[in-house]
Amino acid sequence: MTGGGRAGKLIARRLVFAVPLAGLVSLAVFALAAASPFDPLDAYLGAHGDGFTEAQRMELRDRLGLGHSWFDAWRGWVGDLVHGEFGESRSYRQPVAEVLVERLPWSLLLGALGGVIALVLAALLGAWAGLRRGGLVDRTISACAVVLQAVPPFVLALGAVLLFALTLRWFPASGLTDPGGAVTAASTARHVVLPAALLGVTQLPWLVLGLRETVAGTLDSDAIKGARARGMPWRVIAFRHVLPVAVVPFLALCGARLPELVVGATVVETIFSWPGLGSATVEAARSVDFPLLAILTVLITVVVLLGNLAADAAAVLIDPRIDADG
């Protein structure tokens, strides 16, 4: 079977399991949200909650559908979803579809830029460290990656805001534009630099160290030792034999790190007041906003599944030795 046929078989098999998995994830979201100590009605009323009598609160609870069990609420949500209705977001006081339309493009922009930054830097630094293992470059890159790995993303984000936004004033601290200004391509470009760079940096350690180990391990293989013994030029060994072998494990590692990218994007969006789905997820969880929280969680699950699927399919296409049924 050709590489395309094997990749297609892999994609079809994964998609079969994606739908029931997404359903189970949404079911778990409703169950966990129902166990939350926060009252969604209090979150909906906000500071005006004390002005309602108990009878008014009960009437409003029934009107919002908060009197049902979490399973009935989930079943009703699934029924609406089948008919193309996402429900109403209580935390944003607007349809969930509108929340997605307004915020999804900004999350895609931030996630794409952060992912590209992480991939490019990890490929360059990991390959450089692996090819120069044991040298000063390798020790410096590896040490920086280990230190960076130990720093929580929110600490790194707050430090970046303090240094680059508040002290040096190189970049804006939050939002899409300056206060009172219109959202333009220029303002967005200026405001996205710091959060995108930070998001990419938070994903670097594992990618750099993983690629470095793969490249260094390939250098110890008998095939590479034989090539060096035959006097093959180092550039040819590195770029035609070592680095191509390291591509597949690196792609697999990138797919495995996608959940971390999503979590990192949520932290970055919250700290930088970026109007994406990450900050909306935090708000929905805090407000126990069942319809919005469920669709966002399912959407994140789908993104992670598709990212892993893309990485595995690319690996199957690149390396014919990989078993698509594995």
Side-chain angles (χ1 to χ4, degrees):
M1 184 181 296
T2 64
R6 292 163 61 242
K9 182 180 178 181
L10 173 67
I11 293 173
R13 188 175 65 254
R14 294 281 185 89
L15 291 179
V16 169
F17 291 100
V19 174
L21 179 59
L24 289 176
V25 168
S26 65
L27 180 65
V29 168
F30 275 79
L32 293 174
S36 169
F38 301 106
D39 188 346
L41 183 59
D42 290 337
Y44 179 80
L45 296 176
H48 306 288
D50 294 337
F52 289 78
T53 65
E54 190 60 33
Q56 290 173 326
R57 290 173 65 90
M58 290 297 296
E59 180 183 355
L60 186 57
R61 188 181 297 274
D62 290 337
R63 191 191 314 166
L64 295 174
L66 299 176
H68 304 299
S69 68
W70 66 266
F71 185 78
D72 289 336
W74 173 78
R75 189 169 54 184
W77 177 80
V78 171
D80 291 339
L81 195 63
V82 170
H83 292 90
E85 299 179 5
F86 294 145
E88 192 83 11
S89 169
R90 293 190 297 270
S91 55
Y92 288 95
R93 311 294 179 91
Q94 63 183 125
V96 171
E98 292 184 8
V99 177
L100 296 178
V101 170
E102 292 176 0
R103 291 177 170 267
L104 181 59
W106 301 117
S107 284
L108 291 176
L109 174 64
L110 180 62
L113 291 176
V116 169
I117 291 172
L119 288 176
V120 172
L121 289 180
L124 293 175
L125 296 177
W128 193 9
L131 293 173
R132 303 296 181 184
R133 59 176 179 171
L136 178 61
V137 170
D138 178 25
R139 294 197 300 270
T140 302
I141 293 176
S142 298
C144 290
V146 170
V147 171
L148 190 60
Q149 175 188 333
V151 180
F154 73 91
V155 173
L156 198 63
L158 292 175
V161 171
L162 177 62
L163 177 61
F164 296 108
L166 301 181
T167 303
L168 299 176
R169 299 186 180 275
W170 288 354
F171 304 104
S174 62
L176 286 173
T177 185
D178 297 327
V183 178
T184 63
S187 68
T188 301
R190 192 162 57 90
H191 282 72
V192 78
V193 171
L194 188 56
L198 184 67
L199 179 59
V201 169
T202 59
Q203 306 307 309
L204 275 182
W206 284 105
L207 296 178
V208 169
L209 294 175
L211 182 57
R212 185 262 178 202
E213 289 301 316
T214 301
V215 171
T218 305
L219 288 174
D220 290 330
S221 66
D222 293 337
I224 300 302
K225 290 180 179 178
R228 300 185 70 172
R230 293 193 301 271
M232 185 177 294
W234 171 248
R235 181 179 296 272
V236 174
I237 293 176
F239 289 96
R240 294 189 182 180
H241 298 280
V242 176
L243 295 182
V245 172
V247 169
V248 172
F250 183 64
L251 288 176
L253 183 58
C254 291
R257 299 301 298 175
L258 253 180
E260 294 294 330
L261 179 66
V262 173
V263 173
T266 301
V267 173
V268 169
E269 286 188 11
T270 303
I271 291 177
F272 286 91
S273 299
W274 189 259
L277 295 181
S279 55
T281 302
V282 174
E283 179 62 30
R286 186 166 49 194
S287 304
V288 199
D289 189 348
F290 285 103
L292 181 58
L293 185 60
I295 196 66
L296 289 178
T297 307
V298 169
L299 186 60
I300 291 172
T301 302
V302 170
V303 169
V304 172
L305 290 175
L306 290 179
N308 280 277
L309 176 58
D312 291 343
V316 169
L317 289 173
I318 293 172
D319 192 345
R321 298 170 299 176
I322 296 179
D323 184 7
D325 297 321

